[in-house]
Amino acid sequence: MKHTENNGSDLDLIKQSLLMQKSEILNKNFEFKSQQSTLSKTSDEADAVTQELASNLSIQLHERDRHSLVLIEKALSKFANDTYGMCEACEDPIDVRRLKARPLATLCISCMEDQETLQKTTLQ
Ligand SMILES: [Zn+2]
């Protein structure tokens, strides 16, 4: 009998989905840039306000995407180093079910809870 728990295939699926997310973000930002160049050709004053609002919103999205990209890259480099799925605090393996739900998780559940408790204590 073979154990199928925590074998390579689950991690492979996670890696594939990270690669997908990465290319989605890159494609979206490419579209965003071509939209921007079309928008900058309109010179109507009323439009300018809407345009500014829209571009502020896009920049926010853009920054969030950039942040996600950094996290995705970090996770992918862990795959390369064979350290993906290892808790950054206690170095125990993170539950694969947790990784499936949150592929960018860097802490195991107990370390995450510890950190949350710490944050709550600091805020009070
Ligand atoms: Zn841990």
Side-chain angles (χ1 to χ4, degrees):
M1 254 217 340
K2 239 172 128 183
H3 284 280
T4 47
E5 226 185 328
N6 274 7
N7 73 356
S9 68
D10 278 335
L11 291 183
D12 263 1
L13 284 174
I14 293 169
K15 190 182 173 183
Q16 290 309 314
S17 85
L18 286 172
L19 287 169
M20 283 260 289
Q21 277 184 52
K22 185 182 157 181
S23 67
E24 269 173 29
I25 291 172
L26 293 176
N27 286 335
K28 193 166 74 183
N29 285 320
F30 180 70
E31 280 166 28
F32 163 72
K33 273 181 194 149
S34 42
Q35 265 175 25
Q36 282 289 95
S37 58
T38 332
L39 276 176
S40 57
K41 280 169 195 158
T42 53
S43 53
D44 199 276
E45 238 180 87
D47 269 0
V49 183
T50 336
Q51 198 181 312
E52 204 187 296
L53 280 173
S55 83
N56 280 343
L57 201 70
S58 302
I59 288 162
Q60 272 176 19
L61 280 173
H62 193 218
E63 275 173 7
R64 201 196 301 158
D65 280 347
R66 269 225 318 244
H67 183 64
S68 307
L69 264 185
V70 171
L71 294 178
I72 291 169
E73 285 293 348
K74 200 174 142 191
L76 286 172
S77 75
K78 284 185 182 178
F79 272 106
N81 296 330
D82 243 0
T83 55
Y84 181 80
M86 197 171 90
C87 173
E88 282 185 354
C90 68
E91 302 194 346
D92 272 357
I94 302 171
D95 193 321
V96 76
R97 283 166 298 182
R98 171 163 159 74
L99 289 171
K100 276 181 176 173
R102 304 199 53 180
L104 299 175
T106 55
L107 295 173
C108 71
I109 286 174
S110 66
C111 288
M112 189 195 66
E113 280 170 355
D114 282 355
Q115 212 177 58
E116 277 174 2
T117 320
L118 200 76
Q119 275 169 4
K120 273 177 202 156
T121 334
T122 332
L123 283 173
Q124 273 162 7

